Every structure is written in structure tokens, then in C-alpha cells.
């Protein structure tokens, strides 16, 4: 039996790093499913908080889930062999976990001013979208068209909640209900645009982020839907494009012709 690896042994530091990385992956895999469920609940609570507010009970649930996320982050950070690399990969999650703590303790007046300026809400919306992206990735596994559609629906609902929270009390604003915010966000994500514009700086910045996401994703969704129709057209005999069935039939015919030609060549060789 071998004892624990020491960092001062030859190659000990590298082996210790590999073992800690393997342990980190095991812990992440063990916590994956329960944290994914809590992530979905967290997103729902964020939308409810931004739109109608949380009751005392839901507030307690929100902080309990936040505490579990903090414990997960601290545990994974303690196990990570390279701390700075882990923070670089998870800096947005760290910020999202820091904001509730700042809001809870309110140590300095500047934090209350930050909350009044609603800048913290914008960071929370973006970080919640990032957590939702990771949760969907864990739940769905494959990141194909279904993943993109589900992620876009999540971004639409979460973005609408953020826009509504920023714009409902804005002077001269037209986004005065969550339904209008959903419609505005959907128009922004589909790159169609709307005839109303956010009035607050936070709303405009969030709208810009939504437009960038829509520009990046809408082309992919359009191409995927077009390829689906092309594939269906190719599978029919009347289609203008050759599908897999036609290609398989052509391969069969070519193979048959090849065997016949080889048989004829053998007959000619025997006659000679």
C-alpha cells in the first residue's frame, strides 16, 4: 500500500494536483443533480422577485438556496488545485453569490446606494442567466437545437423580468407590465425590434445584451430549422435534393454493377 502523496516527493506536486482535480470532478458529479434542481428553483425565485416580490417564506427559501450555493462554491474552491484558474472560470458565479450577502448585511451606505441605483439587479440578472445556462447544460446534456431553444426561452423570461423591474417605474416608459416586457424581449431576441425603448440606463444595457444574444443565436436557430426542412425534402422521392435513402439506393446499384462487371471479367478470363 502507498501512503499519501507528499508535495516534496519527486513528482509529488504533479500527482497531488491530479488527485485533487479528480476529487473535484467527483464532488461536482455528486452534486450535479441536486444543484441543478436548486438552480431551477433559484431562477423561478429570481423572476418572482423581479416581477411581484418575494413573501417572507420565499425570501427565507431564497437565502437557504443561496447558502447551499455558497457552500458548494467554497467546497469546490478549497478542492481546486489552481485557485486563480477556478476563479477565472467561475467569476460570474462568485459575483452572483456575493450580491445577496452584500444586500443582507448592508455594512456601508454605498451598498444601499448601489441597490438604489439598481446596478446590482442587472448583475444578478446576468449572473442568473449564466447559472441557468449551466443548469440547462447539466440537465439536457446535448447542446443542440433543443438546448438553444430552451436557453432562449429562459433568457426571454429572465430578461423580461429584468426589463420590467427596471422600466415599470421609469418616467415616460411604455413597459408597464410583465406581459409587455415579455413581448418586448421576444421581439428583441428575434431581431425584429420593437417600437418602444427602455428609459433607464440599466434597461438599455440589458436590452443591448439581449440584442447581442439574439443576433448570435437567431442565425443558428434559423439555419437549424432550414436544415430540418431540407432534410425532410431530401427524404421524399419528389424532393429536389438527394437524401440518405436515395444515396443508399445509389450505393446498392453501384455495388451490383461492380459485381456484374467483375463477373463478366472473370468469364472473359476463363474463355482466354
Amino acid at each position: 500500500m502507498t501512503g499519501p502523496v507528499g508535495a516534496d516527493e519527486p513528482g509529488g506536486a504533479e500527482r497531488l494536483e491530479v488527485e485533487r482535480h479528480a476529487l473535484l470532478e467527483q464532488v461536482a458529479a455528486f452534486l450535479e443533480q441536486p444543484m441543478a434542481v436548486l438552480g431551477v428553483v433559484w431562477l423561478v425565485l429570481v423572476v418572482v422577485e423581479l416581477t411581484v416580490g418575494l413573501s417572507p417564506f420565499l425570501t427565507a427559501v431564497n437565502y437557504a438556496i443561496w447558502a447551499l450555493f455558497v457552500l458548494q462554491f467554497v467546497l469546490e474552491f478549497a478542492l481546486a488545485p489552481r485557485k486563480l484558474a477556478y476563479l477565472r472560470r467561475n467569476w460570474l458565479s462568485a459575483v452572483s453569490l456575493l450580491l445577496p450577502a452584500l444586500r443582507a448585511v448592508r455594512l456601508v451606505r454605498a451598498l444601499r446606494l448601489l441597490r438604489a441605483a439598481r446596478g446590482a439587479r442587472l448583475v444578478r440578472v446576468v449572473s442568473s442567466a449564466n447559472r441557468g445556462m449551466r443548469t440547462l447544460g447539466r440537465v439536457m446534456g446535448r447542446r443542440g437545437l433543443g438546448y438553444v431553444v430552451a436557453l432562449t426561452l429562459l433568457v426571454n423570461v429572465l430578461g423580461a423580468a429584468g426589463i420590467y423591474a427596471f422600466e415599470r417605474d421609469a418616467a415616460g416608459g411604455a413597459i408597464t407590465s410583465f406581459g409587455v416586457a415579455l413581448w418586448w424581449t421576444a421581439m428583441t431576441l428575434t431581431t425584429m425590434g420593437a417600437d418602444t425603448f427602455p428609459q433607464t440606463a440599466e434597461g438599455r444595457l440589458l436590452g443591448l445584451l439581449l440584442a447581442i444574444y439574439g443576433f448570435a443565436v437567431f442565425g443558428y436557430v434559423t439555419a437549424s430549422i432550414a436544415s430540418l426542412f431540407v432534410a425532410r425534402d431530401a427524404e421524399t422521392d419528389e424532393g429536389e435534393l438527394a437524401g440518405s435513402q436515395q444515396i443508399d439506393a445509389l450505393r446498392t446499384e453501384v455495388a451490383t454493377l461492380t459485381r456484374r462487371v467483375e463477373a463478366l471479367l472473370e468469364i472473359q478470363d476463363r474463355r482466354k
Side-chain angles (χ1 to χ4, degrees):
M1 297 181 61
T2 60
V5 178
D8 54 347
E9 298 179 5
E14 291 78 6
R15 291 176 57 191
L16 182 61
E17 181 176 341
V18 171
E19 291 180 358
R20 294 184 65 179
H21 184 72
L23 181 58
L24 175 62
E25 291 184 346
Q26 292 176 4
V27 171
F30 177 76
L31 298 175
E32 181 176 355
Q33 294 301 327
M35 288 298 127
V37 175
L38 291 178
V40 174
V41 178
W42 170 274
L43 290 173
V44 173
L45 291 176
V46 169
V47 173
V48 173
E49 180 184 1
L50 292 174
T51 53
V52 297
L54 296 178
S55 65
F57 173 74
L58 291 181
T59 301
V61 173
N62 188 36
Y63 278 115
I65 296 176
W66 165 75
L68 292 176
F69 284 153
V70 171
L71 289 176
Q72 179 196 15
F73 185 88
V74 172
L75 177 60
E76 292 184 354
F77 179 76
L79 293 176
R82 299 185 179 181
K83 311 298 185 184
L84 292 179
Y86 181 83
L87 287 178
R88 282 196 298 267
R89 292 195 305 269
N90 299 276
W91 68 270
L92 196 53
S93 297
V95 171
S96 67
L97 295 175
L98 181 63
L99 288 178
L102 297 179
R103 184 173 56 182
V105 293
R106 302 180 187 178
L107 292 178
V108 292
R109 185 179 179 184
L111 297 178
R112 292 197 295 270
L113 294 176
L114 177 65
R115 187 184 179 191
R118 294 170 297 186
R121 275 186 176 177
L122 178 60
V123 176
R124 189 176 185 193
V125 170
V126 175
S127 60
S128 298
N130 178 67
R131 180 172 293 276
M133 184 183 303
R134 293 188 176 187
T135 301
L136 279 177
R138 296 190 188 103
V139 172
M140 302 190 67
R142 275 187 74 184
R143 301 196 175 186
L145 178 60
Y147 169 79
V148 173
V149 172
L151 179 60
T152 302
L153 291 176
L154 184 148
V155 170
N156 186 45
V157 174
L158 191 59
I163 287 292
Y164 175 62
F166 296 139
E167 297 295 316
R168 59 186 170 191
D169 298 326
I175 305 176
T176 56
S177 68
F178 185 56
V180 175
L182 279 173
W183 171 82
W184 185 91
T185 307
M187 293 298 100
T188 302
L189 291 178
T190 55
T191 68
M192 296 178 63
D195 55 354
T196 59
F197 299 94
Q199 302 298 314
T200 63
E202 295 80 15
R204 292 175 180 176
L205 181 56
L206 180 57
L208 176 62
L209 295 176
L210 291 171
I212 293 174
Y213 174 87
F215 180 78
V217 172
F218 190 68
Y220 172 80
V221 175
T222 303
S224 299
I225 295 176
S227 64
L228 177 63
F229 284 108
V230 169
R232 288 185 176 180
D233 180 72
E235 293 300 326
T236 61
D237 295 335
E238 295 81 9
E240 297 181 359
L241 299 176
S244 60
Q245 295 180 356
Q246 289 83 355
I247 293 176
D248 291 339
L250 182 60
R251 288 175 178 172
T252 303
E253 292 180 2
V254 171
T256 302
L257 290 174
T258 301
R259 288 194 297 269
R260 291 180 178 177
V261 170
E262 291 176 351
L264 291 174
L265 291 176
E266 289 181 0
I267 294 174
Q268 289 181 356
D269 291 339
R270 291 175 183 175
R271 289 179 178 179
K272 291 180 180 179

